[in-house]
Every structure is written in C-alpha cells, then in structure tokens.
Amino acid sequence: MSTDTNNMDQLKNNWQHVTAQVRQACEEASRHKDEVMLLAVSKTKPAAMIVALAAQGQRDFGENYLQEAIEKITELRALPETQNIVWHYIGSIQRNKTRDIAEHFDWVQTLERDIIAKRLHEQRPKDMLPLNVLIQLNIDDEESKSGCLPEQLPNLITTIKNYERLQLRGLMIIPAKADTDAFVRTKQLFDDIKHAHPELTRWDTLSMGMSNDMTEAIANGSTMVRVGTAIFGSRH
C-alpha cells in the first residue's frame, strides 16, 4: 500500500484546500459548514490514498468501478483505522452487478430504474442497515446521460419507498455544462418532493456539484459535493 511521500503530501494539501473551499462556500451562502458533505471520489486511486485521507478525517468515499471498489472495500474494512469508511457507489448500474453493490456499499447515488431498485432491495443482506439510495435525475434530458426524467420521478419514488431494504434519501444530478440553472431547478424539485411526501422522513440529500462547480452548487442548496480531481489529481 506504499506510495510516494511527495504525492501523499500533495494529496493532503489538496484535501485541506477543498475542505476550506467547501467551508467558504457555505459561509458565502449563509449555511452552516455541517450542512454540506464532501464526498471524495477515489475511483482509479490506490487504497493507500484513501487510508491517508481517512487519517485526516475524510469519511465518505465514492467509487465508480465495481470490481476495483470491492477490492478496496474488502482490504480497508479489515483495517481498524478505515473500517468505518462510508462507501458510495456512483457508477452506472447493470443488472448483473446489483448483488455486489447491495452487499458492499452504504450508499447508491445512481438509481434510475424500477428494476434496479427491486434487485437492490431483494439482494441487500438482511443483517445490514437499509441501503441509502439517491435517484439520479437527468435534469437536462440529455440522451448521452443516465438518469430518470423529472416526469418519471413520481412513479419511481412510489416504487422505492415501499422497499424496506432501501432508504430513499434524495436526488443526484450531473448537469450539462451549458445549463446555468440546473441546480436551481433540481433544488425546487427536491423541495416539492419533500412537501408532497412527508412520509419520506429521511429525504435530506441533494448530491450536486463537483470539482469545478461545487461553490455554485452549494449556493443553490447542495448537501453533498462529489470531488475527485481537485483532491486526487488527474486520472490515468
């Protein structure tokens, strides 16, 4: 699990800089810093980097690639200092991958279809806490992007809320770069759903904003920003 010392020092500096940016964005938006979670997107990065950030206090990590993620999760859950990490799956979900996702992750942020919700519910081990899920919303109706459309949300919410092994927490988006008000529209949808479904007692998470737009996302109500490159550097 060894890595270059200079790289690890740079990693820690990057993380400290990003956490400071999140705090500043919260201050500028008149929000408390604890209202926004930093999700460190660790895909393609070695377990040693995750260990280093966990030692700094980073708790939540996001992974896109399932097999790579399972290897890291298995390795790190065997270590006392990293066994309490919270793992988020943020990649696309194929039907034949749902069992591994349900068995290894604490959160899934990319739920977009009834059939995937059903499989995650059925395959979540009963001795584990319910799987926290976010609905990935295709807010811009882009053909190239995953996510359910706004008009599909009511039916999907009705389906998910009846699955006791799933805990529906909110929405996630990856907006088009040219869409300047995607965050505003998503926050409005989020609030409308909260008002229409008081039975969703843990509807509390709006995952939007990444390395280049997290300040704007926080200003518009994000409760979780997904940051990879600004923390870990470029992907190989």
Side-chain angles (χ1 to χ4, degrees):
M1 220 193 279
S2 62
T3 55
D4 181 85
T5 302
N6 291 335
N7 287 342
M8 297 303 268
D9 287 343
Q10 184 62 56
L11 172 70
K12 293 172 187 177
N13 288 339
N14 289 348
W15 179 81
Q16 289 167 356
H17 179 67
V18 169
T19 56
Q21 284 183 298
V22 172
R23 284 197 303 271
Q24 182 179 349
C26 288
E27 289 176 9
E28 292 174 354
S30 299
R31 300 178 64 192
H32 192 278
K33 62 181 178 63
D34 292 340
E35 291 181 42
V36 180
M37 177 192 296
L38 172 61
L39 179 68
V41 179
S42 46
K43 64 179 181 181
T44 77
K45 298 301 180 179
M49 285 188 162
I50 297 173
V51 172
L53 289 186
Q56 297 296 304
Q58 177 63 35
R59 186 161 180 252
D60 291 80
F61 291 85
E63 293 282 336
N64 291 60
Y65 307 120
L66 186 57
Q67 205 52 49
E68 172 201 330
I70 290 173
E71 291 173 7
K72 287 189 271 192
I73 291 169
T74 302
E75 177 181 357
L76 297 183
R77 280 193 173 148
L79 302 177
E81 64 270 32
T82 50
Q83 63 182 350
N84 291 325
I85 283 175
V86 177
W87 295 97
H88 298 243
Y89 186 73
I90 57 174
S92 60
I93 306 176
Q94 298 169 323
R95 290 193 193 195
N96 64 341
K97 305 295 186 185
T98 52
R99 182 174 298 280
D100 282 336
I101 293 171
E103 291 177 351
H104 288 88
F105 286 85
D106 305 293
W107 286 72
V108 170
Q109 298 203 18
T110 47
L111 184 52
E112 59 171 332
R113 289 185 290 157
D114 291 358
I115 184 59
I116 298 299
K118 183 175 187 292
R119 291 174 68 89
L120 290 172
H121 162 70
E122 292 174 346
Q123 295 167 344
R124 180 68 167 178
K126 291 188 174 151
D127 61 345
M128 295 178 73
L129 292 172
L131 180 64
N132 295 295
V133 297
L134 301 180
I135 295 173
Q136 182 173 357
L137 181 66
N138 187 348
I139 191 66
D140 303 302
D141 194 9
E142 292 184 283
E143 290 186 6
S144 62
K145 279 190 182 163
S146 300
C148 81
L149 299 176
E151 58 267 28
Q152 297 170 330
L153 270 175
N155 287 340
L156 186 53
I157 288 169
T158 298
T159 296
I160 296 171
K161 74 178 186 179
N162 290 320
Y163 290 145
E164 61 184 19
R165 305 304 306 155
L166 303 182
Q167 180 69 64
L168 183 56
R169 301 292 296 269
L171 303 174
M172 184 273 264
I173 65 164
I174 306 173
K177 291 181 180 178
D179 189 350
T180 56
D181 69 342
F183 294 147
V184 174
R185 300 199 318 277
T186 304
K187 178 61 163 67
Q188 185 61 59
L189 264 174
F190 178 84
D191 290 343
D192 289 346
I193 292 166
K194 188 177 184 69
H195 178 73
H197 294 276
E199 73 279 8
L200 297 176
T201 56
R202 298 199 69 189
W203 182 264
D204 55 10
T205 304
L206 192 50
S207 175
M208 58 185 193
M210 296 185 282
S211 293
N212 295 325
D213 57 8
M214 62 180 176
T215 297
E216 181 185 356
I218 291 170
N220 286 287
S222 173
T223 68
M224 184 187 298
V225 290
R226 309 180 304 275
V227 181
T229 302
I231 295 175
F232 292 96
S234 59
R235 312 286 175 188
H236 298 294

